[in-house]
Amino acid sequence: MTETIQRHFIQQIIDADIESGKWGPPGDRSVITTRFPPEPNGYLHIGHAKAIHISHGIAREYGGKFNLRFDDTNPAKEEVEFVESIKRDLQWLGTKWDGEVCFASDYFGQMYDWAVELIEKELAYVDESTPEQIREMRGKVGEAGTDSPFRDRPISESVDLFAKMKSGEIENGKMVLRAKIGMDNTNLNMRDPVMYRVVNTPHHRTGDQWHIYPMYDWAHGLEDSIEGVTHSLCSLEFQDHRPLYDWFIDAINQGRSGDNKIHHPQQIEFSRLAISYTNMSKRYMRQLVEENRVDGWDDPRMITLASFRRRGYTPESIKDFVTGVGVTKFNAMTDMGRLEGALRDDLNKRAPRRMAVLDPVKLIITNWGDGGDVDRIEQMDAINNPEDDTAGTRQIPFGKELWIERADFMIDPPKKFFRLGVGREVRLRCGYWVKCHDFKQDGDGNITEVHCTYDPNTRGGNNPPPDEEGKVRKVKGTIHWVDAHDCIDAEVRLFDRLYKTEKPGKETGDHLDDLNEDSLEIRTGCKLEKTFQSVTPDEPQWPDGIRRFQFERTGYFCIDKDSADAKMVLNRTATLRDSWAKKHHK
RNA sequence: GAGGGAUUAGUGUAAUGGUAGCACGAGGGUUUCUGAUACCCUUAGUAAGAGUUCAAAUCUCUUAUCCCUUACCA
């Protein structure tokens, strides 16, 4: 059987480029250069992870280069905090950029010179119209715009005014530099687009050195060109900008020849990531943070990379997920469940097992003290991870009184309920088999105690020996537990989706209308096995330092940054799949 | 009312004129000291119509639907 390696459409374009020698000697793969160009105006989210993965993956695959470049062309919205968080997130993902971090602001001088060149070639002019007038003159879809009265001003006048804009003599909004392309273009982006505007705001890197800042369309292709990017990969909404991207580079190259021509990268667009029950809008996220509807940019319910990290997601699972969604031009809606699936796949293999009771009820073994040793504590062997032979074992205490999960006992259980009820027997994971004979309730009918007897022949969860007739007693269910006198109290945070609709904000236009008010449940008084914190030398370490566990039968958890020695705080990363619950919700 | 993209099982994604596959989901089963995991089985698709061709998911045309574009944001 021949294995066909599937190539997505961008890889196919690059394969063809390499064969034809478009960027260098035919067959030379190392010329391929990509970049990730975030604006430092917010935190990276899972959608960025897709973009990073595509561009970075291509550079690595071809043995080329991958740049991290901050597109810091708007000082009004950008902050150093975001530069730092973006670098941190990239490092967490395991994405290594080549060379030094790049900044668009490092190219401001070069861009300015090129802009002057365009003015001198009569391809750009300074416009003193107001923003409103410019919008008016741009026209509408389907009808042509009108020329600005400043469109044909003398070159020298534009050169002088542009210099004044640069030196800070002009107020915000009074003047812009525009490209002279044509006001009747069917593509509105091409109707004499603004190249520079005046922004008299200090820049987080260049301070007050500049008073004009380049617009995205003018800047982006030049940044790519300067860095020798071959394939400038971006999302679908930039398709209409590609003609402009090309126009600006062609305009600079107009009148140049040979080696004087600047490098002309190729922009290719792919569809951005969309996940049900979330919204990738930075504006929405910012609003949630600023209005304190969540606990900061790394609130575990958000979809920033920082929030996934805090919630306990692994970088590997995020990479697996974005790999799985593929690279196309189709506006796909990816099911949230796929992300959880990728997480479970990874954590199932790696997360050490522990026992924890989230909603505790006391279980009392009434025959425990029959030999007069009521306070006896036995140490039970427990396998740290059945999926990982190298993870070793640990010992956990077992005594007369245990905590079990409230949901594991029913007064009047249905036939298929494989847990406790009066007259039913279950296996306590790594412990003994216990049979229930009684229970206690408080005045409100809540269960307060479950009374059982244990079978000494079933230690360590093993099956008891066959009876005289050779029949082996069996038990259908296994439940988890924690020794009541030797355990740790903890706060556990359970998360549900932040939004209750598939496309937040779609219906009313305001995403806040779709906010799930019950997205956070804080449980206190949860009981963790005493040994939960002690990592045995056999157990794997997490490279990012986040401690992750599987609490058997309840899900994956990690230690939150709010934890202190006196108060343990855990986040539930994800539940385990639960076919029992699924069946009974129907 | 313009321009630019897109449309393949429920979802996502392959097949680039020559057998429509894969993954997830869903349903069922086996195994099991986690109702987890693992394994097995089942499930269902080329948006509609026309044309070119020996042959069309693939090329052409028409229609439908969805997304993007009317910032001195990126």
Side-chain angles (χ1 to χ4, degrees), chain A residues 6 12 71 240 353 427 429 460 550 553 582 586:
Chain A
Q6 290 169 356
Q12 291 178 33
D71 206 6
D240 289 340
R353 271 54 168 175
R427 183 198 325 271
R429 177 88 169 149
Q550 184 199 94
R553 302 211 308 136
K582 202 161 82 181
K586 282 178 188 167

mmCIF file of all heavy atoms in Angstrom, chain A residues 6 12 71 240 353 427 429 460 550 553 582 586, chain B residues 3 14 16 26-27 33-35 70 72-74:
data_model
loop_
_atom_site.group_PDB
_atom_site.id
_atom_site.type_symbol
_atom_site.label_atom_id
_atom_site.label_comp_id
_atom_site.label_asym_id
_atom_site.label_seq_id
_atom_site.Cartn_x
_atom_site.Cartn_y
_atom_site.Cartn_z
ATOM 1 N N GLN A 6 -1.337 13.776 2.525
ATOM 2 C CA GLN A 6 -2.243 14.793 2.025
ATOM 3 C C GLN A 6 -1.632 16.178 2.170
ATOM 4 O O GLN A 6 -1.110 16.525 3.218
ATOM 5 C CB GLN A 6 -3.572 14.691 2.754
ATOM 6 C CG GLN A 6 -4.313 13.438 2.335
ATOM 7 C CD GLN A 6 -5.511 13.167 3.219
ATOM 8 O OE1 GLN A 6 -5.753 13.875 4.186
ATOM 9 N NE2 GLN A 6 -6.259 12.141 2.874
ATOM 10 N N GLN A 12 0.449 22.843 -1.492
ATOM 11 C CA GLN A 12 0.497 22.534 -2.924
ATOM 12 C C GLN A 12 1.035 23.716 -3.727
ATOM 13 O O GLN A 12 1.813 23.539 -4.671
ATOM 14 C CB GLN A 12 -0.895 22.130 -3.427
ATOM 15 C CG GLN A 12 -1.338 20.789 -2.856
ATOM 16 C CD GLN A 12 -2.729 20.386 -3.308
ATOM 17 O OE1 GLN A 12 -3.149 20.701 -4.414
ATOM 18 N NE2 GLN A 12 -3.438 19.682 -2.450
ATOM 19 N N ASP A 71 3.083 43.641 14.690
ATOM 20 C CA ASP A 71 2.597 44.645 13.751
ATOM 21 C C ASP A 71 2.139 45.858 14.556
ATOM 22 O O ASP A 71 0.948 46.114 14.709
ATOM 23 C CB ASP A 71 1.443 44.036 12.944
ATOM 24 C CG ASP A 71 1.289 44.689 11.582
ATOM 25 O OD1 ASP A 71 2.136 45.531 11.230
ATOM 26 O OD2 ASP A 71 0.319 44.367 10.887
ATOM 27 N N ASP A 240 -9.766 40.696 -0.292
ATOM 28 C CA ASP A 240 -10.001 41.951 -1.016
ATOM 29 C C ASP A 240 -8.857 42.947 -0.836
ATOM 30 O O ASP A 240 -8.827 43.984 -1.482
ATOM 31 C CB ASP A 240 -11.304 42.604 -0.535
ATOM 32 C CG ASP A 240 -12.518 41.818 -1.002
ATOM 33 O OD1 ASP A 240 -12.381 41.041 -1.955
ATOM 34 O OD2 ASP A 240 -13.603 41.987 -0.396
ATOM 35 N N ARG A 353 -3.210 9.452 37.790
ATOM 36 C CA ARG A 353 -4.529 9.270 38.400
ATOM 37 C C ARG A 353 -4.477 9.558 39.886
ATOM 38 O O ARG A 353 -3.486 9.244 40.564
ATOM 39 C CB ARG A 353 -5.000 7.830 38.177
ATOM 40 C CG ARG A 353 -5.784 7.592 36.897
ATOM 41 C CD ARG A 353 -5.079 8.047 35.669
ATOM 42 N NE ARG A 353 -5.735 7.548 34.452
ATOM 43 C CZ ARG A 353 -5.378 7.864 33.226
ATOM 44 N NH1 ARG A 353 -4.386 8.701 33.011
ATOM 45 N NH2 ARG A 353 -6.013 7.373 32.204
ATOM 46 N N ARG A 427 -17.383 -2.267 44.133
ATOM 47 C CA ARG A 427 -15.964 -2.291 44.407
ATOM 48 C C ARG A 427 -15.508 -0.866 44.707
ATOM 49 O O ARG A 427 -15.871 0.076 44.009
ATOM 50 C CB ARG A 427 -15.222 -2.800 43.168
ATOM 51 C CG ARG A 427 -13.728 -2.936 43.351
ATOM 52 C CD ARG A 427 -12.978 -3.011 42.023
ATOM 53 N NE ARG A 427 -13.698 -3.717 40.972
ATOM 54 C CZ ARG A 427 -13.637 -5.035 40.748
ATOM 55 N NH1 ARG A 427 -12.904 -5.783 41.516
ATOM 56 N NH2 ARG A 427 -14.312 -5.574 39.757
ATOM 57 N N ARG A 429 -12.584 1.401 44.434
ATOM 58 C CA ARG A 429 -11.384 1.407 43.609
ATOM 59 C C ARG A 429 -10.120 1.234 44.464
ATOM 60 O O ARG A 429 -9.924 1.991 45.424
ATOM 61 C CB ARG A 429 -11.330 2.732 42.848
ATOM 62 C CG ARG A 429 -10.110 2.929 41.996
ATOM 63 C CD ARG A 429 -10.300 2.382 40.625
ATOM 64 N NE ARG A 429 -9.223 2.798 39.731
ATOM 65 C CZ ARG A 429 -8.793 2.063 38.736
ATOM 66 N NH1 ARG A 429 -9.349 0.886 38.476
ATOM 67 N NH2 ARG A 429 -7.815 2.503 37.966
ATOM 68 N N GLY A 460 -7.712 -4.717 47.835
ATOM 69 C CA GLY A 460 -7.054 -4.236 46.616
ATOM 70 C C GLY A 460 -7.945 -4.328 45.400
ATOM 71 O O GLY A 460 -7.483 -4.258 44.270
ATOM 72 N N GLN A 550 -5.720 13.182 36.540
ATOM 73 C CA GLN A 550 -7.068 12.682 36.309
ATOM 74 C C GLN A 550 -7.590 12.227 37.646
ATOM 75 O O GLN A 550 -6.987 11.359 38.282
ATOM 76 C CB GLN A 550 -7.077 11.495 35.336
ATOM 77 C CG GLN A 550 -8.513 11.052 35.034
ATOM 78 C CD GLN A 550 -8.601 9.641 34.468
ATOM 79 O OE1 GLN A 550 -8.788 8.678 35.197
ATOM 80 N NE2 GLN A 550 -8.444 9.524 33.162
ATOM 81 N N ARG A 553 -12.794 8.765 37.470
ATOM 82 C CA ARG A 553 -14.235 8.819 37.200
ATOM 83 C C ARG A 553 -14.806 10.240 37.172
ATOM 84 O O ARG A 553 -15.975 10.420 36.829
ATOM 85 C CB ARG A 553 -15.035 7.983 38.209
ATOM 86 C CG ARG A 553 -14.609 6.505 38.234
ATOM 87 C CD ARG A 553 -15.781 5.615 38.589
ATOM 88 N NE ARG A 553 -16.408 6.067 39.798
ATOM 89 C CZ ARG A 553 -17.715 6.167 40.007
ATOM 90 N NH1 ARG A 553 -18.543 5.782 39.064
ATOM 91 N NH2 ARG A 553 -18.204 6.603 41.129
ATOM 92 N N LYS A 582 -24.993 10.421 29.759
ATOM 93 C CA LYS A 582 -25.542 10.766 28.452
ATOM 94 C C LYS A 582 -26.860 10.042 28.203
ATOM 95 O O LYS A 582 -27.831 10.618 27.744
ATOM 96 C CB LYS A 582 -24.517 10.390 27.364
ATOM 97 C CG LYS A 582 -24.705 11.146 26.076
ATOM 98 C CD LYS A 582 -23.463 11.105 25.242
ATOM 99 C CE LYS A 582 -23.395 9.805 24.470
ATOM 100 N NZ LYS A 582 -22.193 9.721 23.652
ATOM 101 N N LYS A 586 -31.462 11.613 28.425
ATOM 102 C CA LYS A 586 -32.422 11.552 27.321
ATOM 103 C C LYS A 586 -33.822 11.182 27.806
ATOM 104 O O LYS A 586 -33.988 10.551 28.805
ATOM 105 C CB LYS A 586 -31.953 10.521 26.284
ATOM 106 C CG LYS A 586 -30.842 11.089 25.427
ATOM 107 C CD LYS A 586 -30.337 10.058 24.438
ATOM 108 C CE LYS A 586 -29.099 10.582 23.741
ATOM 109 N NZ LYS A 586 -28.407 9.513 22.998
ATOM 110 P P G B 3 -20.280 42.544 -10.303
ATOM 111 O OP1 G B 3 -19.877 42.389 -11.710
ATOM 112 O OP2 G B 3 -21.304 41.679 -9.705
ATOM 113 O "O5'" G B 3 -18.972 42.464 -9.397
ATOM 114 C "C5'" G B 3 -17.852 43.269 -9.715
ATOM 115 C "C4'" G B 3 -16.877 43.265 -8.582
ATOM 116 O "O4'" G B 3 -17.497 43.830 -7.392
ATOM 117 C "C3'" G B 3 -16.436 41.889 -8.104
ATOM 118 O "O3'" G B 3 -15.467 41.305 -8.948
ATOM 119 C "C2'" G B 3 -15.898 42.214 -6.716
ATOM 120 O "O2'" G B 3 -14.651 42.872 -6.795
ATOM 121 C "C1'" G B 3 -16.957 43.211 -6.239
ATOM 122 N N9 G B 3 -18.034 42.519 -5.519
ATOM 123 C C8 G B 3 -19.301 42.212 -5.965
ATOM 124 N N7 G B 3 -20.008 41.574 -5.069
ATOM 125 C C5 G B 3 -19.156 41.443 -3.968
ATOM 126 C C6 G B 3 -19.357 40.836 -2.702
ATOM 127 O O6 G B 3 -20.370 40.272 -2.268
ATOM 128 N N1 G B 3 -18.226 40.928 -1.901
ATOM 129 C C2 G B 3 -17.052 41.533 -2.267
ATOM 130 N N2 G B 3 -16.074 41.520 -1.364
ATOM 131 N N3 G B 3 -16.841 42.104 -3.436
ATOM 132 C C4 G B 3 -17.931 42.025 -4.236
ATOM 133 P P A B 14 -8.875 19.469 2.970
ATOM 134 O OP1 A B 14 -7.587 20.163 2.860
ATOM 135 O OP2 A B 14 -10.041 19.909 2.182
ATOM 136 O "O5'" A B 14 -8.609 17.929 2.697
ATOM 137 C "C5'" A B 14 -8.691 17.448 1.398
ATOM 138 C "C4'" A B 14 -8.260 16.013 1.376
ATOM 139 O "O4'" A B 14 -9.239 15.210 2.069
ATOM 140 C "C3'" A B 14 -8.215 15.436 -0.020
ATOM 141 O "O3'" A B 14 -6.973 15.732 -0.640
ATOM 142 C "C2'" A B 14 -8.401 13.948 0.250
ATOM 143 O "O2'" A B 14 -7.206 13.361 0.716
ATOM 144 C "C1'" A B 14 -9.417 13.981 1.396
ATOM 145 N N9 A B 14 -10.806 13.892 0.958
ATOM 146 C C8 A B 14 -11.790 14.836 1.103
ATOM 147 N N7 A B 14 -12.956 14.477 0.631
ATOM 148 C C5 A B 14 -12.727 13.211 0.122
ATOM 149 C C6 A B 14 -13.573 12.286 -0.518
ATOM 150 N N6 A B 14 -14.852 12.509 -0.761
ATOM 151 N N1 A B 14 -13.023 11.102 -0.902
ATOM 152 C C2 A B 14 -11.722 10.891 -0.653
ATOM 153 N N3 A B 14 -10.836 11.682 -0.062
ATOM 154 C C4 A B 14 -11.409 12.836 0.312
ATOM 155 P P U B 16 -7.112 13.428 -7.414
ATOM 156 O OP1 U B 16 -7.929 12.405 -8.105
ATOM 157 O OP2 U B 16 -5.699 13.589 -7.724
ATOM 158 O "O5'" U B 16 -7.855 14.850 -7.603
ATOM 159 C "C5'" U B 16 -8.717 15.056 -8.710
ATOM 160 C "C4'" U B 16 -8.311 16.286 -9.492
ATOM 161 O "O4'" U B 16 -8.192 17.409 -8.604
ATOM 162 C "C3'" U B 16 -6.962 16.188 -10.203
ATOM 163 O "O3'" U B 16 -7.005 17.023 -11.361
ATOM 164 C "C2'" U B 16 -6.009 16.841 -9.209
ATOM 165 O "O2'" U B 16 -4.855 17.396 -9.796
ATOM 166 C "C1'" U B 16 -6.900 17.962 -8.695
ATOM 167 N N1 U B 16 -6.520 18.448 -7.348
ATOM 168 C C2 U B 16 -5.850 19.649 -7.295
ATOM 169 O O2 U B 16 -5.584 20.304 -8.286
ATOM 170 N N3 U B 16 -5.516 20.062 -6.035
ATOM 171 C C4 U B 16 -5.769 19.406 -4.866
ATOM 172 O O4 U B 16 -5.394 19.901 -3.817
ATOM 173 C C5 U B 16 -6.452 18.159 -5.006
ATOM 174 C C6 U B 16 -6.794 17.727 -6.219
ATOM 175 P P A B 26 -21.312 11.067 20.730
ATOM 176 O OP1 A B 26 -21.911 11.692 21.925
ATOM 177 O OP2 A B 26 -20.274 10.042 20.881
ATOM 178 O "O5'" A B 26 -22.473 10.459 19.811
ATOM 179 C "C5'" A B 26 -23.623 11.245 19.512
ATOM 180 C "C4'" A B 26 -24.518 10.506 18.553
ATOM 181 O "O4'" A B 26 -23.846 10.381 17.274
ATOM 182 C "C3'" A B 26 -24.827 9.061 18.946
ATOM 183 O "O3'" A B 26 -25.876 8.994 19.892
ATOM 184 C "C2'" A B 26 -25.196 8.453 17.605
ATOM 185 O "O2'" A B 26 -26.499 8.833 17.203
ATOM 186 C "C1'" A B 26 -24.172 9.132 16.680
ATOM 187 N N9 A B 26 -22.945 8.337 16.553
ATOM 188 C C8 A B 26 -21.745 8.536 17.187
ATOM 189 N N7 A B 26 -20.815 7.666 16.862
ATOM 190 C C5 A B 26 -21.456 6.829 15.959
ATOM 191 C C6 A B 26 -21.019 5.705 15.239
ATOM 192 N N6 A B 26 -19.787 5.214 15.325
ATOM 193 N N1 A B 26 -21.908 5.102 14.419
ATOM 194 C C2 A B 26 -23.145 5.593 14.328
ATOM 195 N N3 A B 26 -23.674 6.648 14.948
ATOM 196 C C4 A B 26 -22.767 7.232 15.752
ATOM 197 P P G B 27 -25.840 7.892 21.021
ATOM 198 O OP1 G B 27 -26.948 8.191 21.941
ATOM 199 O OP2 G B 27 -24.460 7.774 21.537
ATOM 200 O "O5'" G B 27 -26.184 6.559 20.220
ATOM 201 C "C5'" G B 27 -27.471 6.383 19.656
ATOM 202 C "C4'" G B 27 -27.529 5.099 18.880
ATOM 203 O "O4'" G B 27 -26.660 5.204 17.720
ATOM 204 C "C3'" G B 27 -26.994 3.867 19.605
ATOM 205 O "O3'" G B 27 -27.916 3.322 20.524
ATOM 206 C "C2'" G B 27 -26.709 2.932 18.436
ATOM 207 O "O2'" G B 27 -27.904 2.390 17.915
ATOM 208 C "C1'" G B 27 -26.120 3.923 17.424
ATOM 209 N N9 G B 27 -24.655 3.969 17.554
ATOM 210 C C8 G B 27 -23.894 4.934 18.166
ATOM 211 N N7 G B 27 -22.610 4.671 18.121
ATOM 212 C C5 G B 27 -22.525 3.465 17.439
ATOM 213 C C6 G B 27 -21.403 2.674 17.084
ATOM 214 O O6 G B 27 -20.206 2.902 17.306
ATOM 215 N N1 G B 27 -21.770 1.521 16.407
ATOM 216 C C2 G B 27 -23.067 1.174 16.104
ATOM 217 N N2 G B 27 -23.221 0.015 15.449
ATOM 218 N N3 G B 27 -24.126 1.895 16.418
ATOM 219 C C4 G B 27 -23.783 3.018 17.083
ATOM 220 P P C B 33 -11.191 -6.313 35.805
ATOM 221 O OP1 C B 33 -10.145 -7.300 35.996
ATOM 222 O OP2 C B 33 -12.617 -6.719 35.602
ATOM 223 O "O5'" C B 33 -11.102 -5.282 37.039
ATOM 224 C "C5'" C B 33 -12.303 -4.853 37.656
ATOM 225 C "C4'" C B 33 -12.105 -3.438 38.147
ATOM 226 O "O4'" C B 33 -11.520 -3.449 39.476
ATOM 227 C "C3'" C B 33 -11.179 -2.606 37.272
ATOM 228 O "O3'" C B 33 -11.665 -1.272 37.237
ATOM 229 C "C2'" C B 33 -9.900 -2.577 38.078
ATOM 230 O "O2'" C B 33 -9.076 -1.452 37.847
ATOM 231 C "C1'" C B 33 -10.456 -2.533 39.503
ATOM 232 N N1 C B 33 -9.512 -2.908 40.543
ATOM 233 C C2 C B 33 -9.260 -1.962 41.537
ATOM 234 O O2 C B 33 -9.865 -0.898 41.521
ATOM 235 N N3 C B 33 -8.374 -2.252 42.505
ATOM 236 C C4 C B 33 -7.741 -3.419 42.490
ATOM 237 N N4 C B 33 -6.883 -3.655 43.462
ATOM 238 C C5 C B 33 -7.980 -4.394 41.481
ATOM 239 C C6 C B 33 -8.867 -4.113 40.533
ATOM 240 P P U B 34 -12.068 -0.588 35.857
ATOM 241 O OP1 U B 34 -13.423 -0.983 35.470
ATOM 242 O OP2 U B 34 -10.945 -0.708 34.912
ATOM 243 O "O5'" U B 34 -12.110 0.935 36.327
ATOM 244 C "C5'" U B 34 -12.802 1.307 37.507
ATOM 245 C "C4'" U B 34 -13.398 2.686 37.336
ATOM 246 O "O4'" U B 34 -12.301 3.632 37.255
ATOM 247 C "C3'" U B 34 -14.200 2.849 36.044
ATOM 248 O "O3'" U B 34 -15.235 3.790 36.277
ATOM 249 C "C2'" U B 34 -13.180 3.442 35.093
ATOM 250 O "O2'" U B 34 -13.755 4.196 34.064
ATOM 251 C "C1'" U B 34 -12.396 4.353 36.037
ATOM 252 N N1 U B 34 -11.038 4.619 35.566
ATOM 253 C C2 U B 34 -10.657 5.934 35.435
ATOM 254 O O2 U B 34 -11.385 6.869 35.723
ATOM 255 N N3 U B 34 -9.388 6.117 34.964
ATOM 256 C C4 U B 34 -8.492 5.152 34.614
ATOM 257 O O4 U B 34 -7.385 5.470 34.211
ATOM 258 C C5 U B 34 -8.955 3.806 34.769
ATOM 259 C C6 U B 34 -10.194 3.598 35.225
ATOM 260 P P G B 35 -16.724 3.355 36.203
ATOM 261 O OP1 G B 35 -17.403 4.411 36.943
ATOM 262 O OP2 G B 35 -16.861 1.938 36.581
ATOM 263 O "O5'" G B 35 -17.119 3.531 34.682
ATOM 264 C "C5'" G B 35 -16.971 2.476 33.745
ATOM 265 C "C4'" G B 35 -17.980 2.669 32.651
ATOM 266 O "O4'" G B 35 -19.284 2.408 33.219
ATOM 267 C "C3'" G B 35 -18.027 4.075 32.084
ATOM 268 O "O3'" G B 35 -18.469 4.009 30.733
ATOM 269 C "C2'" G B 35 -19.109 4.740 32.918
ATOM 270 O "O2'" G B 35 -19.770 5.801 32.269
ATOM 271 C "C1'" G B 35 -20.084 3.574 33.114
ATOM 272 N N9 G B 35 -20.902 3.691 34.318
ATOM 273 C C8 G B 35 -20.623 4.321 35.490
ATOM 274 N N7 G B 35 -21.588 4.247 36.355
ATOM 275 C C5 G B 35 -22.558 3.506 35.710
ATOM 276 C C6 G B 35 -23.836 3.094 36.135
ATOM 277 O O6 G B 35 -24.384 3.302 37.230
ATOM 278 N N1 G B 35 -24.511 2.377 35.162
ATOM 279 C C2 G B 35 -23.995 2.071 33.931
ATOM 280 N N2 G B 35 -24.769 1.377 33.123
ATOM 281 N N3 G B 35 -22.794 2.454 33.505
ATOM 282 C C4 G B 35 -22.154 3.159 34.449
ATOM 283 P P U B 70 -15.237 47.476 5.231
ATOM 284 O OP1 U B 70 -14.130 48.199 5.869
ATOM 285 O OP2 U B 70 -16.201 46.722 6.056
ATOM 286 O "O5'" U B 70 -16.062 48.495 4.333
ATOM 287 C "C5'" U B 70 -15.371 49.356 3.434
ATOM 288 C "C4'" U B 70 -16.291 50.442 2.985
ATOM 289 O "O4'" U B 70 -17.384 49.863 2.228
ATOM 290 C "C3'" U B 70 -16.999 51.196 4.114
ATOM 291 O "O3'" U B 70 -16.177 52.250 4.592
ATOM 292 C "C2'" U B 70 -18.249 51.732 3.430
ATOM 293 O "O2'" U B 70 -17.990 52.912 2.721
ATOM 294 C "C1'" U B 70 -18.566 50.608 2.440
ATOM 295 N N1 U B 70 -19.611 49.682 2.906
ATOM 296 C C2 U B 70 -20.924 50.060 2.717
ATOM 297 O O2 U B 70 -21.241 51.118 2.208
ATOM 298 N N3 U B 70 -21.859 49.147 3.154
ATOM 299 C C4 U B 70 -21.618 47.933 3.741
ATOM 300 O O4 U B 70 -22.559 47.233 4.068
ATOM 301 C C5 U B 70 -20.228 47.614 3.892
ATOM 302 C C6 U B 70 -19.293 48.480 3.482
ATOM 303 P P C B 72 -10.904 55.839 6.873
ATOM 304 O OP1 C B 72 -11.940 56.841 7.075
ATOM 305 O OP2 C B 72 -10.674 55.266 5.519
ATOM 306 O "O5'" C B 72 -9.524 56.418 7.404
ATOM 307 C "C5'" C B 72 -8.382 55.594 7.443
ATOM 308 C "C4'" C B 72 -7.467 56.038 8.557
ATOM 309 O "O4'" C B 72 -7.102 57.425 8.334
ATOM 310 C "C3'" C B 72 -8.128 55.995 9.931
ATOM 311 O "O3'" C B 72 -7.106 55.679 10.876
ATOM 312 C "C2'" C B 72 -8.576 57.431 10.146
ATOM 313 O "O2'" C B 72 -8.635 57.815 11.498
ATOM 314 C "C1'" C B 72 -7.436 58.186 9.450
ATOM 315 N N1 C B 72 -7.821 59.523 9.000
ATOM 316 C C2 C B 72 -7.151 60.619 9.556
ATOM 317 O O2 C B 72 -6.277 60.431 10.403
ATOM 318 N N3 C B 72 -7.477 61.866 9.156
ATOM 319 C C4 C B 72 -8.425 62.031 8.240
ATOM 320 N N4 C B 72 -8.707 63.269 7.882
ATOM 321 C C5 C B 72 -9.120 60.927 7.667
ATOM 322 C C6 C B 72 -8.795 59.702 8.071
ATOM 323 P P C B 73 -7.438 54.800 12.182
ATOM 324 O OP1 C B 73 -8.437 55.446 13.016
ATOM 325 O OP2 C B 73 -6.098 54.548 12.708
ATOM 326 O "O5'" C B 73 -7.996 53.409 11.648
ATOM 327 C "C5'" C B 73 -7.140 52.384 11.324
ATOM 328 C "C4'" C B 73 -7.054 51.401 12.461
ATOM 329 O "O4'" C B 73 -8.365 50.837 12.689
ATOM 330 C "C3'" C B 73 -6.174 50.202 12.208
ATOM 331 O "O3'" C B 73 -4.817 50.513 12.484
ATOM 332 C "C2'" C B 73 -6.743 49.187 13.180
ATOM 333 O "O2'" C B 73 -6.289 49.467 14.494
ATOM 334 C "C1'" C B 73 -8.237 49.498 13.107
ATOM 335 N N1 C B 73 -8.942 48.627 12.142
ATOM 336 C C2 C B 73 -9.336 47.346 12.555
ATOM 337 O O2 C B 73 -9.055 46.994 13.705
ATOM 338 N N3 C B 73 -10.011 46.550 11.694
ATOM 339 C C4 C B 73 -10.283 46.982 10.466
ATOM 340 N N4 C B 73 -10.937 46.159 9.668
ATOM 341 C C5 C B 73 -9.894 48.267 10.023
ATOM 342 C C6 C B 73 -9.226 49.053 10.882
ATOM 343 P P A B 74 -3.688 49.999 11.509
ATOM 344 O OP1 A B 74 -2.435 50.593 11.996
ATOM 345 O OP2 A B 74 -4.117 50.218 10.108
ATOM 346 O "O5'" A B 74 -3.658 48.433 11.751
ATOM 347 C "C5'" A B 74 -3.315 47.911 13.035
ATOM 348 C "C4'" A B 74 -3.683 46.442 13.060
ATOM 349 O "O4'" A B 74 -5.108 46.318 12.856
ATOM 350 C "C3'" A B 74 -3.076 45.615 11.933
ATOM 351 O "O3'" A B 74 -1.769 45.177 12.230
ATOM 352 C "C2'" A B 74 -4.069 44.470 11.803
ATOM 353 O "O2'" A B 74 -3.858 43.516 12.823
ATOM 354 C "C1'" A B 74 -5.389 45.180 12.056
ATOM 355 N N9 A B 74 -6.013 45.622 10.804
ATOM 356 C C8 A B 74 -5.778 46.763 10.100
ATOM 357 N N7 A B 74 -6.508 46.878 9.009
ATOM 358 C C5 A B 74 -7.277 45.720 8.999
ATOM 359 C C6 A B 74 -8.258 45.236 8.109
ATOM 360 N N6 A B 74 -8.640 45.888 7.000
ATOM 361 N N1 A B 74 -8.832 44.051 8.388
ATOM 362 C C2 A B 74 -8.453 43.402 9.491
ATOM 363 N N3 A B 74 -7.543 43.754 10.416
ATOM 364 C C4 A B 74 -6.985 44.938 10.104
#
